Amino acid sequence: MVKHKTMKKPNIILATLMALVLLSCDKGNSPETNGESEVEVRMTDAPGPFDAVLVDIQGVEIHSDVNGWNTVALANPGVYDLLELTNGLDTLLGTATLPSGQISQLRLKLGSRNSVVLNGNSYDLATPSAQQSGLKVQIHQNLSPGIRYTILLDFDASMSIVETGNGAFILKPVIRAITQGIDGAIQGKISPSVIARVQAISTMGDTTGTYSDSAGSFIVQGLQSGTYQVDILPPAPYQDTTFTGVVVVNGQITQMGTLNIQ
């Protein structure tokens, strides 16, 4: 009897170690713990008493608590007329893929080609060197894995331009950052744990798919708000399984929990 227990003990230890290794691998690959989030930065403005307000955007960076400052790839670095971005209009500055987690600041780097047009006359906008090296805007947003976000920079031109009294103007940007999720996702775990095709079908018939990992975990990303049918298509001998009425909300991850298949 004692000999029997002694023979089984190494097997128990080995099994435990293997389980811990597999759990560690699965956890590292799980979309719940190793996610990324796509962020796009856009700019808009409130109307002001000028003919034009020209601002030279040369760089944008976002600070993540996970890995520090991240460079946003600008679509068109250069001069933007803020007064063309009023009454609900905005423009895309650039995009970046960030590690999911907390972001705290955005840094806007300005060039030297800033000016204002008033009554048909153009005036250079003096820009402090600190603004050229990086004007910081507070954002404080937690990025969920698989969710795309928009950071809208609301640039208040009328409050940002200061006349010095001798016909000169200084640019002191007043910017408010608005962050919002612009799509949603569906997350769950298949039981038994298998690698399976998972697809979400909208009421319009649009299909977005992915595969679960070896632990059965999956996340279907890039979904617009609406109601979806989720199909689990596992390998034999398991059967295809359909779940209906799955509601997706922009900026949120719909948790389906454990999905049992046979």
Side-chain angles (χ1 to χ4, degrees):
M1 189 70 175
V2 173
K3 183 178 180 180
H4 181 62
K5 287 183 178 180
T6 303
M7 292 178 62
K8 290 181 66 178
K9 187 174 182 180
N11 292 332
I12 294 174
I13 295 174
L14 179 61
T16 302
L17 290 173
M18 291 180 65
L20 289 173
V21 170
L22 290 174
L23 179 60
S24 175
C25 292
D26 286 339
K27 185 176 181 181
N29 295 326
S30 171
E32 298 180 17
T33 59
N34 191 28
E36 293 181 331
S37 304
E38 183 180 344
V39 176
E40 65 176 30
V41 180
R42 308 186 74 89
M43 185 169 63
T44 190
D45 179 39
F50 308 102
D51 300 333
V53 177
L54 305 175
V55 177
D56 187 6
I57 306 294
Q58 289 297 322
V60 178
E61 297 177 334
I62 298 174
H63 187 272
S64 166
D65 291 355
V66 178
N67 68 342
W69 288 102
N70 295 263
T71 300
V72 174
L74 294 185
N76 293 293
V79 177
Y80 292 81
D81 183 357
L82 296 180
L83 296 191
E84 293 182 352
L85 306 174
T86 60
N87 298 319
L89 298 178
D90 60 49
T91 189
L92 176 67
L93 293 182
T95 60
T97 300
L98 306 180
S100 300
Q102 188 76 17
I103 56 176
S104 56
Q105 290 181 325
L106 179 143
R107 187 159 59 194
L108 188 65
K109 295 184 177 181
L110 304 180
S112 59
R113 297 174 296 166
N114 304 291
S115 62
V116 60
V117 179
L118 180 63
N119 298 324
N121 298 312
S122 180
Y123 303 89
D124 290 339
L125 278 172
T127 308
S129 58
Q131 294 174 12
Q132 296 181 28
S133 63
L135 172 68
K136 291 182 180 180
V137 181
Q138 301 297 317
I139 44 181
H140 298 297
Q141 174 73 39
N142 188 66
L143 304 181
S144 297
I147 298 295
R148 291 188 302 137
Y149 291 85
T150 289
I151 299 175
L152 181 63
L153 299 179
D154 188 359
F155 206 123
D156 192 334
S158 62
M159 297 291 293
S160 300
I161 298 174
V162 179
E163 187 172 0
T164 63
N166 56 359
F169 294 85
I170 299 174
L171 178 62
K172 293 185 176 181
V174 176
I175 303 174
R176 181 170 63 106
I178 305 168
T179 306
Q180 59 185 167
I182 57 176
D183 61 13
I186 295 173
Q187 190 170 48
K189 185 173 184 179
I190 302 169
S191 180
S193 301
V194 293
I195 298 176
R197 172 72 176 175
V198 181
Q199 56 187 29
I201 305 173
S202 71
T203 54
M204 300 297 293
D206 298 324
T207 300
T208 305
T210 186
Y211 282 87
S212 59
D213 62 18
S214 59
S217 298
F218 68 87
I219 182 169
V220 185
Q221 306 174 12
L223 303 177
Q224 295 299 307
S225 290
T227 302
Y228 287 79
Q229 169 184 311
V230 176
D231 293 338
I232 310 296
L233 309 176
Y238 300 103
Q239 300 177 7
D240 294 352
T241 306
T242 295
F243 300 86
T244 59
V246 181
V247 177
V248 172
V249 177
N250 284 350
Q252 298 181 19
I253 300 177
T254 299
Q255 298 288 349
M256 295 188 67
T258 299
L259 307 178
N260 297 310
I261 61 175
Q262 297 181 347

